Amino acid sequence: MKNDASHATFLNDLKSALPPAALRDPAPRYLHEPRGRWTGHACAIVAPETAGQAASALRLAAAAGVPVVPFGGGTGLVGGQVADGGAAPLLISLERMTRIRAIYPDENAMVVEAGAILSDVHDAASAAGRLFPLSIAAKGSARIGGLLATNAGGVNVLRYGNARDLCLGLEVVMPSGDIWHGLKRLRKDNTGYDLRNLLIGSEGTLGLITAATLKLAPRPAGEGTALIVVDSPAAALKLLALARDHMGEGVSAFELMHRQCLAFLAETMPQVRQPFADPPEWFVLIDVGLARGLDPAGALAALFADALSAGLASDGLIAQSEAQRADFWSLRESVPEANRHIGSVSSHDVSLPLGAVAEFIERGAEVIGAIGQFRINCFGHLGDGNLHYNVFPMPGHSRADHEDQRDTIKRAVHDLVHDMEGSVSAEHGIGRLKVEDLERYADPAKLAAMRAIKAALDPQGIMNPGAVLRVP
Ligand SMILES: Cc1cc2nc3c(=O)[nH]c(=O)nc-3n(C[C@H](O)[C@H](O)[C@H](O)COP(=O)(O)OP(=O)(O)OC[C@H]3O[C@@H](n4cnc5c(N)ncnc54)[C@H](O)[C@@H]3O)c2cc1C
């Protein structure tokens, strides 16, 4: 934006181009992110109702050189949706584009607008007798556009893949204001560069997603859940292989947890039912969903018996009711909140090749031990090689006591992950939080290609500047 006069002209043009209902007041919910790390600013906030209105807004922003920040449910954890520096941007919220445009149960596909809330998409798929398998704890607030823009994962990636794997097509307003009509329902389409997969995971830096064709799955006829005690993460991985031998793709989730999870839950959330009288060092939550005619509890019992005789498991609980399944899941899903109550010194969401997970956990403890005395809470989506590796102060200390060690810890953990050919961002993306990490760890040729793509698609650099890539 060049001066006050052109700023006023831009705002006037915006008001003329959009209906009054599309103009939003700058409420705090648009400018704060869930962990309170950033406070954003905006010169205007609009909530278009159609892709055409979104395109008009973007075209005006491009003409005036005003940055644009796409905004979904505001649940992102890396600051991608919160611009805290540079020129005040136009924030485009998808909150009024929430329609389910079409469902094709026989094709296992549905077309939804980018502002649809994940739990509403679940409900719509379910009403059509189908499953949309992407699920995260923020499903009541996160919107489809945001989930695709961050390539969200969650607990069912093991079986169904992440957001990228669950998308067949996109409708996108490009930085020029042109609309790319890519809402195909094709499983095979080899017509040149894959724009869809480029836009997914681009965190609002290459375009504004306004609708998507999503892939659905059959609903499992029966589901079962078990907690199984294992000797070590290495044994847990062998158990996963055994579970897949038994049930193939029926294994929907496989979550590793350490005794520290139980200790933090006991300390901060005593209302969460503790399943073990004597808390084990390591255990897994395994969730299965099977087709008609198969008995999930029986299949889990057979797996447990084999795991016992192979020396992979020493104890276990198989849920006997839906209420008990919910209890087991509540244990897993409450861990992030318990962690928040304790207050981590440094948190890491990393992924590793499956074969390197056990060694990483051992070496990680050594690396942290060399820095100082800390408690480590390591848990996560083991089936995806995705660990939440979080470092906490010892009892009687607080995170503030270790302020000066945070960067050292983060660097040490991320260096180890990188050495072991892992990723320092398994879920959530880069946003504004991990720009330096991307610069440090990304392959130079990849980084150069990313910068070239950004320059080609968004030559003015107006789409979410400062997210993913540093402003040149
Ligand atoms: C409690 C909780 C649990 C979570 N659990 C998981 C988890 O298990 N797995 C996981 O992967 N993630 C998880 N997340 C993070 C998750 O990735 C994001 O919450 C979600 O994907 C973002 O959706 P949103 O609609 O809130 O997007 P926002 O937070 O609004 O935006 C996120 C990013 O996407 C961009 N964006 C938003 N909408 C669009 C659009 N229409 N077009 C282009 N860009 C857009 C924004 O500019 C920003 O860069 C969790 C978050 C919370 C708060």
Side-chain angles (χ1 to χ4, degrees), residues 183-256:
L183 283 179
K184 296 200 170 172
R185 313 197 303 274
L186 305 176
R187 311 269 160 166
K188 292 186 173 176
D189 179 14
N190 276 334
T191 51
Y193 299 145
D194 193 338
L195 206 47
R196 175 192 66 199
N197 276 339
L198 184 59
L199 264 295
I200 296 173
S202 65
E203 301 183 54
T205 62
L206 297 179
L208 177 78
I209 299 169
T210 50
T213 308
L214 303 177
K215 220 189 258 182
L216 303 178
R219 299 188 68 75
E223 292 171 299
T225 307
L227 299 176
I228 299 184
V229 176
V230 290
D231 268 359
S232 61
L237 278 167
K238 287 189 180 145
L239 178 63
L240 171 60
L242 185 66
R244 284 179 140 170
D245 285 347
H246 272 241
M247 285 169 272
E249 294 306 309
V251 182
S252 313
F254 197 87
E255 301 286 304
L256 180 71

Side-chain angles (χ1 to χ4, degrees), residues 2 5 40 51 112 120 131 184 189 216 229 240 249 253 278 316 323-324 396 471:
K2 287 145 208 118
V112 308
D120 293 338
L131 175 76
K184 296 200 170 172
D189 179 14
L216 303 178
V229 176
L240 171 60
E249 294 306 309
D278 184 15
Q324 210 177 5
V471 176

Side-chain angles (χ1 to χ4, degrees), residues 391-413:
V391 180
F392 294 84
M394 296 298 281
H397 293 265
S398 77
R399 55 186 296 166
D401 300 338
H402 299 286
E403 211 56 59
D404 55 338
Q405 288 170 300
R406 176 166 304 140
D407 289 348
T408 311
I409 293 173
K410 193 168 287 297
R411 174 65 64 85
V413 172

Side-chain angles (χ1 to χ4, degrees), residues 33-35 68-82 92-94 113-118 134-139 141-155 157 162-163 171-173 199 202-211 332-333 336 340 349 381 386 388 426-432 463-464 467-468:
E33 47 77 45
R35 293 198 275 214
V68 171
V69 175
F71 188 88
T75 68
L77 294 173
V78 288
Q81 72 279 27
V82 186
I92 304 187
S93 167
L94 277 297
E113 291 186 343
I117 287 182
L118 179 56
L134 181 70
S135 191
I136 64 170
K139 60 179 179 258
S141 315
R143 298 177 190 270
I144 289 300
L147 292 155
L148 288 166
T150 58
N151 188 26
V155 289
V157 173
N162 49 25
E171 175 187 87
V172 177
V173 182
L199 264 295
S202 65
E203 301 183 54
T205 62
L206 297 179
L208 177 78
I209 299 169
T210 50
R332 166 63 183 86
E333 286 174 344
R340 268 193 298 281
D349 177 37
H381 316 302
N386 176 191
H388 303 297
E427 297 189 320
H428 306 171
I430 298 295
R432 290 179 167 76
M463 290 305 301
N464 211 356
V468 184

